[in-house]
């Protein structure tokens, strides 16, 4: 798990971290996030098991400071457009 998180840190990417229940995902993420400089990295934790897919996209737009459009497709297109700007 640490190796994959370090990779995201190196490439400054957005990642989705998945594994079977009880594998230590939340613990690993929290420990990793504590070691990041908040002036250099923006982190967010969204637990998909407790929200709908639409709510996930809405929260992701909020985190990325993007205007949430009405549909999932609209939100994805908005994110793609912002990434290219």
């Amino acid at each position: 798990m640490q190796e994959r998180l370090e990779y995201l840190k190196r490439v400054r990417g957005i990642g989705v971290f998945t594994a079977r229940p009880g594998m230590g995902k939340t613990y690993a993420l929290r420990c990793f996030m504590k070691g990041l400089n908040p002036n250099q990295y923006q982190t967010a934790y969204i637990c998909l098991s407790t929200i709908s897919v639409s709510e996930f996209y809405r929260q992701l737009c909020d985190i990325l400071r993007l205007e949430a459009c009405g549909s999932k497709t609209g939100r994805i297109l908005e994110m793609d457009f912002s990434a290219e700007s």
Side-chain angles (χ1 to χ4, degrees), residues 43-79:
T43 61
Y45 176 79
I46 302 173
C47 184
L48 189 57
S49 66
T50 60
I51 62 172
S52 68
V53 173
S54 294
E55 179 64 16
F56 167 79
Y57 283 114
R58 190 195 63 71
Q59 287 186 27
L60 184 60
C61 285
D62 288 346
I63 291 164
L64 298 174
R65 296 183 185 109
L66 300 173
E67 184 178 332
C69 301
S71 68
K72 248 190 314 188
T73 304
R75 285 190 277 272
I76 293 168
L77 291 173
E78 179 73 22
M79 284 187 269

Side-chain angles (χ1 to χ4, degrees), residues 1 4 15 19-20 24-26 29-31 33 35 39 49 57 60-61 66-68 71-72 79:
M1 285 188 237
R4 292 178 184 192
R20 293 188 310 271
K25 296 176 298 293
T26 302
L29 287 169
R30 288 183 179 156
C31 290
M33 286 168 45
N39 296 318
S49 66
Y57 283 114
L60 184 60
C61 285
L66 300 173
E67 184 178 332
S71 68
K72 248 190 314 188
M79 284 187 269

